[in-house]
Amino acid sequence: MSLPSPSEISVRAYTEKPGARPLAAKPSGSGGDTPSPWAIIFDCETTVDAAQSLRVGLYQVRKSGLLKEEGLFFDPDTLDCEDISAIEGYARRNGLKCISAAAFRKSVFLKIGYLRKGQIIGFNLPFDVSRIALNHGAARGPMRGGFTFHLSQYKSDPQIRVKHLSARASLIDFAKPGKQQTPRGMRKRGIDVPHHRGYFVDVKTLAASLTSRSFSLAGLCDYLGTQTRKLATEEHGGPITRDYLNYARADVQATWECFAELERRYHEHRLETSTHRILSEASVGKAYLKQMNIRPLLSNLPDFPRETFGQIACAYYGGRAEVRIRRKPTQVLYCDFKSMYPTVSALMGLWPFVVAKDLSIHDTTQETQAFLNTVSLEDMKSKKTWKKLRTLVSIRTDNDLLPVRARYDGKVNTIGLNYISNDQSLWYTLADCIVSKLLTGKTPVIEEAMTFEPGEVQDDLLPIDLFGNPDYRVDPSYDDVFTRFIDLRDEARKKKDPVQQAIKIIANSTSYGIFIEVNRDNAPKPEPLDVYGPNGHLLNAKTTAVEEPGRYFHPLLGTLITGAARLMLALSERLAEDQGLSWVFCDTDSLAMAKPEQMDQSEFLKRGQLVINWFDELNPYLKPGSILEMEDTNYSAETKDPKPLHCLAISAKRYALFNLDQDGRPILRKASAHGLGHLMAPYGEEDAPKEIKAPKFPRSETCVARWQHDLWIKIIEAALGTHPDQVKCNYHQAFQNPCLSRYGATSPKLLKWVDTWNGGRPYTDQIKPFGFLSSFTAKSGLLLETKPYEIVDPSRRGRPEKIQIPKPIAPYERDSQLAVSRAFDRATGRPVKASELKTYAEALAQFHLSTEDKFENADFTDFGETQRRHIHVENVALIGKEANKVGSGGEADPVVPAQSNYGSSLGVNYQVDVGP
Amino acid sequence: MTNKYQDEETRREQDYHRLRTRNPICVTCGYSDHPSAMELAHIIPRKFDDDAVVLCTNCHRTQSDTEKDYSYNPTSDNSQMETIGRYLLSIADLLKLIAAKFEEYGHWLLEQAIHVLPYCPEEVA
């Protein structure tokens, strides 16, 4: 029995601060952004208790890459005399400098990093900066939501500000010191000496930006093939020995070597943007657009009507991720679209919008309705038809099949393709209307349509040679850069040129995300915000989630691209159904076509191939072939022949693909860690259960850790067996331990959780910013311990007491039993017993039954085909950027919606707070 | 910083930062011996434009002296044309200084030509 369909749907609004100048209209920097040849590389070793305080650190000072000084620094408060003499002896023997942490802060860190304008390099830099700091506080100004670290007791010395952005990146800079930096003569003339913000390079961030992967230092050394590798040690927290200091010294050297190699790779791009500005793949994409001298939309048209942005934002929905055949093992053909977003951008001809001086809007209501009335599946085979999709339409829906964003589970907004009826007209992409027509046969009635046309090409655009190679020339004035990047990648792959991976990253980073970039700033108290919904300007909105469009913000592109990608998926869905096939799941750019039980294997492959071949004509690239491609998982790893691939999908983004061996047992090919990734591994590779065979394929292919692999195997075995609803997590005793998540205290708000713990402790013993926390899930509902039942209790009157579910956290401990013994309720500070915590077995008990609430027939124990919902809209809510903060709630549900709600578009405005 | 006396390396880095280049050369006389004796000079008063060049202290004083005959702020209604005009005049002043240097160097070469043997690349090799 599914939950009833929601009556309130949500659409995105465009918001901006009243009177604020858009980022794109601000100057991009005054130059002088190059660090001096000096660099400091450092790493801290800490205590292993909850405080993770500095014990000893190692550093290198380099000039133009040459080592000028190497040394150790230590905190005498956390070390005993023997440890200190061991450090001093080691320094003496190896010719290293040995200084206190205070001396390091002043005469190395500030001297090289601030006065000499050198680079400050580290791996996971926020953690290390936090270790060497004297104290901390909450940052203000543009870095609010982050931390300020004090490096000296003098106000004339700068503080460091760190704002966590994601697991991969943080913003780090020097705050302006409390000392007058502009001489009086210059002040009189109104001249200001620009403040030095510092050149902080987190090697972890740089590596992720250039490779699109997350690394540990050891993994990065292996990946880059550095001469020095991270050494192994078991001596953390123990007495300081020569081996331990060797280990720490190697860490710093390895960090430097990784940085040098990554910087070399970055310089191959020949971009003017400095290394310290690269925080993500999107930074690389933006650097390329800057290099081509492309001015952003809001720089060319700072007064572009915001009401139109509101209408465009209303039509914005993300990628489509759905399950059609749920909890039923089914043989599939797993396919994905080649570079989906660049492909649809090229087909619609969106590059001219990126390089246009202007953007014009035409009312095309009649033409668009006429087009929609006649458009057919065959028409979509023509590239010409795709050029007509640069249109948004306003429709009053009447049982049309369109993307619907709603709280299907009553908690979180998700997007599902459902039948919707709405008395109020809303904006959609024309591509979404074609989806509705092709899948239902019914043509939506358009009330208004607006088609966008790019203006003239900007003057003085600059061609670039990728990696300095004239063969890889890209000219933004004449090329469709989206296709050019993919063609170049195909060419590089053919030549076996190692730059192919880098070109792939450039292609992806310039094709979508930067156009829909919205940066959110969590204000301490609600601030006024201009909100533009589908009906125009909504005044008086106040929120703590203040949003600012990114530099290359161009919502039209983001909206059209995702709309066309949903159309691509719908085309493949319709074609599969026309061939008598169904599908198990789809996810943004991939589709798993399902084999009907009675169909012959060769017939299935033949029909699947027909679906794939249909897309041949839509290929915008030089390399021939279909843009819908078969994934490697469809083939045998040994013989490369097609091998029956099976799929078990539970809910959106929770699926597993597997082969069956001769005995009918599953061999996992690929699975999703969605819904599992926030948990610490209950056991490792070394103590994996004997009864489950080790994975045949490496983690890089299966995409899951060993314990996740084992759980999926058990779920599949249950589904193949006679009791698909029962998956017992009793195959390893670790499942009886309290289930544990780990995350960092990355914002003052999160660090506040440990106020009870920190209260009364000296600073050295306190949990500090970017230190780790352990989070547990409290038992609730039926799992709660009940008091002995009292039939009559004359002493109690009135409403029964509400049971308070604790929000248990603990300081991070390597020993999980110790962490459990230190668990406390972050709301009240009272200790929480182990018996109040959910075990892994209890937390995972319903994972294999995860509901797909956006559809019917998708409740816990339902299985088979899901049914689309029919939604009659009574209210439309306007919301801000959809962002999930995994784990920050510390609750049973790992994903907490962090989304601003600006009220309904029917004119009701109210003030709302946001987030956990 | 609390340490009033900074070491030489630090002072040099601050000079380079101030001059916005790591290879400062006076554009009029070619002086490049010591960055602390060099300054970043606005081509025209900064109320007009913020473009600047590196000059040695002596050349900066010489260049600034001619500026004193003009206003430090735009005075006409058409500040755009006034800025371009002032810019061109300042460039002309700079070129005059450079021309004087060329002249001086040319005379010096003529004097040297009497005493110094001609340059012969083969011999050097």
Side-chain angles (χ1 to χ4, degrees), chain A residues 774-814:
Chain A
S774 300
S775 164
F776 304 94
T777 309
K779 284 182 179 170
S780 58
L782 295 173
L783 296 171
L784 273 176
E785 279 180 21
T786 49
K787 289 180 184 172
Y789 187 66
E790 291 167 335
I791 297 172
V792 180
D793 183 357
S795 64
R796 285 173 183 267
R797 300 183 73 180
R799 199 176 281 176
E801 211 172 87
K802 193 178 173 188
I803 298 169
Q804 293 294 333
I805 307 292
K807 296 172 176 174
I809 58 164
Y812 177 69
E813 298 286 353
R814 280 165 189 272

Side-chain angles (χ1 to χ4, degrees), chain A residues 120-134:
Chain A
I120 298 166
I121 300 164
F123 193 91
N124 196 9
L125 208 45
F127 181 83
D128 290 313
V129 167
S130 172
R131 298 312 106 178
I132 62 166
L134 277 177

Side-chain angles (χ1 to χ4, degrees), chain A residues 36-38 63 106 111 115-117 154 157 179 189 191, chain B residues 1-3 6-7 9-10 13-14 17 22 42 46-47:
Chain A
S36 76
W38 291 93
K63 187 180 183 187
K106 184 175 177 179
K111 185 174 166 184
L115 292 177
R116 290 194 191 172
K117 277 70 178 171
Y154 299 108
D157 289 333
K179 176 188 166 188
R189 285 178 285 151
I191 306 171
Chain B
M1 294 304 297
T2 50
N3 180 2
Q6 295 163 0
D7 61 18
E9 289 276 15
T10 307
E13 287 306 331
Q14 294 192 325
H17 185 71
R22 303 193 60 76
H42 282 97
R46 56 181 297 281
K47 291 277 168 63

Side-chain angles (χ1 to χ4, degrees), chain A residues 337 376-378 380-381 386 438-439 567-583 591 593 607-616 618 626 628:
Chain A
F337 284 92
S376 66
L377 183 64
E378 277 308 296
M380 297 317 299
K381 223 174 180 177
W386 287 78
L438 292 181
L439 295 184
L567 174 57
M568 275 290 180
L569 276 183
L571 288 173
S572 54
E573 177 187 339
R574 163 76 192 270
L575 289 163
E577 283 170 2
D578 287 355
Q579 290 295 333
L581 311 176
S582 184
W583 52 281
L591 182 87
M593 288 184 269
R607 292 189 185 199
Q609 195 59 50
L610 286 174
V611 174
I612 290 169
N613 293 347
W614 190 91
F615 290 92
D616 276 355
L618 288 178
S626 173
L628 185 62

Side-chain angles (χ1 to χ4, degrees), chain A residues 663-681:
Chain A
D663 305 325
R665 285 178 304 192
I667 300 167
L668 202 68
R669 294 297 299 261
K670 185 180 177 182
S672 129
H674 192 263
L676 300 173
H678 64 293
L679 298 177
M680 298 269 291

Side-chain angles (χ1 to χ4, degrees), chain A residues 443-503:
Chain A
T443 309
V445 180
I446 296 172
E447 288 200 337
E448 191 184 344
M450 50 182 177
T451 299
F452 296 83
E453 288 298 330
E456 277 181 46
V457 176
Q458 292 173 23
D459 304 321
D460 39 287
L461 295 179
L462 299 172
I464 52 167
D465 292 337
L466 292 187
F467 312 103
N469 186 345
D471 291 344
Y472 297 151
R473 168 154 284 222
V474 178
D475 190 337
S477 307
Y478 304 104
D479 292 332
D480 182 318
V481 174
F482 294 132
T483 44
R484 181 75 182 136
F485 279 142
I486 303 296
D487 286 338
L488 289 177
R489 186 196 165 201
D490 289 338
E491 197 181 320
R493 188 187 270 172
K494 199 173 159 190
K495 289 184 199 167
K496 295 190 175 160
D497 190 333
V499 299
Q500 54 145 320
Q501 190 59 26
I503 299 177

